[in-house]
Amino acid sequence: MGTMSIPETNGIFATHYLLKERLSSNRVEEVWKAEDWSAEGAPVTLRLYAPHIRLDHQSLDLLQKEQEQRAQLRHPHLLLPSRFGIHQGIPFEVAPLQSQQTLAQSAPLPEREVARLIAQVGSALEYLHTQRPALAHRQVNPANIVLDANGNYLLAVPALSSQLRTLLHRATGTPLAQGTAYAAPELFGTHPKHTGASDVFALGVSLYELCTGETPWLGNGGLSLSQGAEIPIIPTPYSRILSNLVRACLHLDAEKRPTAKVLAEEANYFLEHGNWKPYGAFGDVTAESIVYKKSSSLWPVLLVLLILSALGAAAYYYYINRTPDQELASETEETKRNPIIPTATDSVVADTAQSVTKPDTPVKKQATSRKPSVATQQKTQPVSKPVPARPAKPSYPQPSSLEGYLSGMLNHDIPLQVRDQWRTPIRKYFSPDAIIYARMNDAPLGSFGVGEFIDILLSTEAGNSIVIDKIIYDPEDENAIDEINVSIVAVE
């Protein structure tokens, strides 16, 4: 077996590589399973670019430059080639062939595995997106996500940039097929630009596929979304929060998609705690509502107020129930301390003032410590003071429409116990399995059952209002709402 110019099975390529099996082939590239004789026959993957034509020097220089840039990348969850070279005008790269498998046929994955994938692939994307300049992966899909022998998820680095891929297709005379299943909506616009947000969209499509076994929008990707298609929901047994996370990745607006860093943080929280965050951008309640709940849990202050209230109640009880002798002794002691100026509000002094005529000449003031007469004692007998009537509780008119109820739920001028009593009348507007799709401040909040959404409204902080965007009624009951879209917005 000698050196060959055209790759063939059992042929030797570039002196060191015995070609064993062609894995894929087209005019732009061929992928071979080979043995590396320089490494004692270790199995490798050999990728050959445009093997049946000879590229010009400009194309070779551009390819060489790109491979040098890729060789500088280092991340534990990036799958990078171990060698790049050019043999007889054919560019090639070598990567170790381990007991790896792509995820193209792995759906459905358990939710914990989905979280591991998000954490590891998300960290790899974050690494690429934070390079200077930022690097977009451009080809995130299950076929480029590899599970290695240790059970870790690796993201295969794309072999070619879009510029070089276009150049190779032109050189080989083959049309450039654009995969639409994982393409973000902005790539179908008048000024398409692939960014980190486009990678997040492709990851969202991949996650949906790995959970359901199907690509959303029948494989038409962001093109369908830009034409008004709805963002699909991941069904049970997957959690609602995971569905919210994936749907956020598929947002029509690139700026409103989560970053790869946020996705990795959310997934790491799941791996650490065994569940997704119940609050935040994807949780069942918002971060604002959690902050509000925390600010209201001032238990030390409440404890002090409770003690002071108990002491005040005890003092009031003692005052209205003390005996005549106790009251008289108190008055006498007060008079001894202030012999000239009597207490103006004392009932005994008031009665005495009514029964004695003011003399023309000064009269020596009699001692007030004399023993009081029976009549005086009867007059000083304390009378139970009437308890002041409690002010009537303000009445709050019950809303007459669903929008009125939902707006009232956010009105903190209405006591919580009153708003909580509106659960039953609100439920009457909905079918038993109704779903509420909610947004908050132009960001997706999630999809919820009626009870869950009522809890969110009751725990949302003050200063928000709600708008009903869309209502779909139950086909079997035209008076029952089956789906509803609402937006919670901050009041300026």
Side-chain angles (χ1 to χ4, degrees), residues 387-409:
V387 179
R390 295 182 179 178
K393 293 184 178 179
S395 60
Y396 299 95
Q398 189 157 331
S400 58
S401 66
L402 176 60
E403 189 166 8
Y405 277 114
L406 298 181
S407 298
M409 284 290 188

Side-chain angles (χ1 to χ4, degrees), residues 222-381:
L223 180 61
S224 293
L225 189 60
S226 62
Q227 294 175 348
E230 296 288 341
I231 300 177
I233 298 173
I234 295 181
T236 55
Y238 296 98
S239 68
R240 189 184 301 274
I241 297 180
L242 175 59
S243 178
N244 293 343
L245 182 149
V246 174
R247 297 180 80 236
C249 295
L250 301 178
H251 200 285
L252 177 63
D253 189 341
E255 295 183 356
K256 294 181 180 179
R257 295 175 203 145
T259 63
K261 179 180 180 180
V262 169
L263 294 177
E265 289 175 349
E266 294 286 332
N268 283 322
Y269 181 96
F270 180 96
L271 297 176
E272 180 179 353
H273 297 89
N275 58 269
W276 300 98
K277 285 181 184 178
Y279 57 89
F282 318 113
D284 288 334
V285 294
T286 65
E288 290 91 341
S289 67
I290 294 297
V291 171
Y292 173 70
K293 288 178 180 179
K294 287 182 178 179
S295 64
S296 63
S297 59
L298 305 176
W299 63 267
V301 177
L302 294 177
L303 181 60
V304 172
L305 292 177
L306 182 61
I307 294 174
L308 292 177
S309 299
L311 293 175
Y316 177 75
Y317 178 82
Y318 171 79
Y319 175 76
I320 65 172
N321 289 281
R322 60 181 178 169
T323 64
D325 291 340
Q326 290 174 325
E327 185 173 353
L328 180 59
S330 176
E331 293 169 356
T332 303
E333 184 64 27
E334 178 66 23
T335 304
K336 287 180 179 180
R337 288 197 301 267
N338 302 284
I340 299 176
I341 303 175
T343 304
T345 59
D346 189 80
S347 60
V348 176
V349 176
D351 291 338
T352 304
Q354 294 177 1
S355 59
V356 178
T357 304
K358 183 178 180 180
D360 295 335
T361 59
V363 180
K364 183 178 179 180
K365 186 174 180 67
Q366 297 179 358
T368 58
S369 60
R370 60 184 174 80
K371 185 177 180 179
S373 64
V374 175
T376 304
Q377 290 182 6
Q378 292 176 350
K379 288 185 179 181
T380 59
Q381 179 69 26

Side-chain angles (χ1 to χ4, degrees), residues 4-273:
M4 64 174 188
S5 58
I6 299 177
E8 60 184 12
T9 303
N10 292 324
I12 298 176
F13 182 83
T15 308
H16 301 299
Y17 304 103
L18 175 63
L19 305 183
K20 301 297 293 183
E21 179 185 355
R22 183 186 284 113
L23 301 178
S24 65
S25 175
N26 55 56
R27 296 194 67 181
V28 175
E29 65 182 31
E30 286 187 359
V31 181
W32 286 81
K33 178 181 178 181
E35 294 178 357
D36 185 357
W37 285 3
S38 65
E40 299 181 352
V44 296
T45 300
L46 185 66
R47 188 184 300 269
L48 312 177
Y49 295 106
H52 301 290
I53 66 171
R54 294 297 177 264
L55 297 175
D56 57 42
H57 291 293
Q58 179 183 359
S59 300
L60 292 175
D61 291 343
L62 181 58
L63 186 58
Q64 179 75 42
K65 182 179 179 181
E66 280 195 2
Q67 304 308 317
E68 291 174 354
Q69 292 175 343
R70 290 172 58 199
Q72 297 176 1
L73 299 177
R74 293 289 184 274
H75 191 275
H77 296 289
L78 283 178
L79 183 60
L80 298 164
S82 57
R83 180 189 175 191
F84 174 81
I86 299 176
H87 174 68
Q88 294 183 353
I90 302 176
F92 69 94
E93 66 179 26
V94 183
L97 180 65
Q98 303 172 356
S99 54
Q100 303 168 341
Q101 65 181 64
T102 68
L103 300 186
Q105 305 295 330
S106 298
L109 293 178
E111 185 152 348
R112 185 170 184 83
E113 284 303 301
V114 174
R116 290 185 65 248
L117 186 153
I118 296 173
Q120 296 178 351
V121 174
S123 68
L125 284 176
E126 178 192 358
Y127 173 78
L128 293 176
H129 297 168
T130 53
Q131 296 296 302
R132 293 291 180 269
L135 299 177
H137 187 280
R138 300 175 182 271
Q139 297 179 41
V140 178
N141 58 66
N144 280 331
I145 300 175
V146 175
L147 184 66
D148 69 8
N150 298 320
N152 293 314
Y153 293 97
L154 309 178
L155 179 63
V157 175
L160 304 172
S161 67
S162 59
Q163 177 184 2
L164 185 54
R165 184 172 292 275
T166 300
L167 189 151
L168 289 178
H169 277 273
R170 289 176 179 173
T172 57
T174 57
L176 180 60
Q178 297 285 353
T180 59
Y182 306 93
E186 58 269 19
L187 300 180
F188 297 95
T190 54
H191 301 286
K193 183 180 180 181
H194 208 129
T195 64
S198 307
D199 286 342
V200 170
F201 182 91
L203 179 60
V205 175
S206 301
L207 293 173
Y208 184 91
E209 181 178 350
L210 292 171
C211 290
T212 66
E214 301 176 353
T215 53
W217 307 297
L218 301 176
N220 291 320
L223 180 61
S224 293
L225 189 60
S226 62
Q227 294 175 348
E230 296 288 341
I231 300 177
I233 298 173
I234 295 181
T236 55
Y238 296 98
S239 68
R240 189 184 301 274
I241 297 180
L242 175 59
S243 178
N244 293 343
L245 182 149
V246 174
R247 297 180 80 236
C249 295
L250 301 178
H251 200 285
L252 177 63
D253 189 341
E255 295 183 356
K256 294 181 180 179
R257 295 175 203 145
T259 63
K261 179 180 180 180
V262 169
L263 294 177
E265 289 175 349
E266 294 286 332
N268 283 322
Y269 181 96
F270 180 96
L271 297 176
E272 180 179 353
H273 297 89

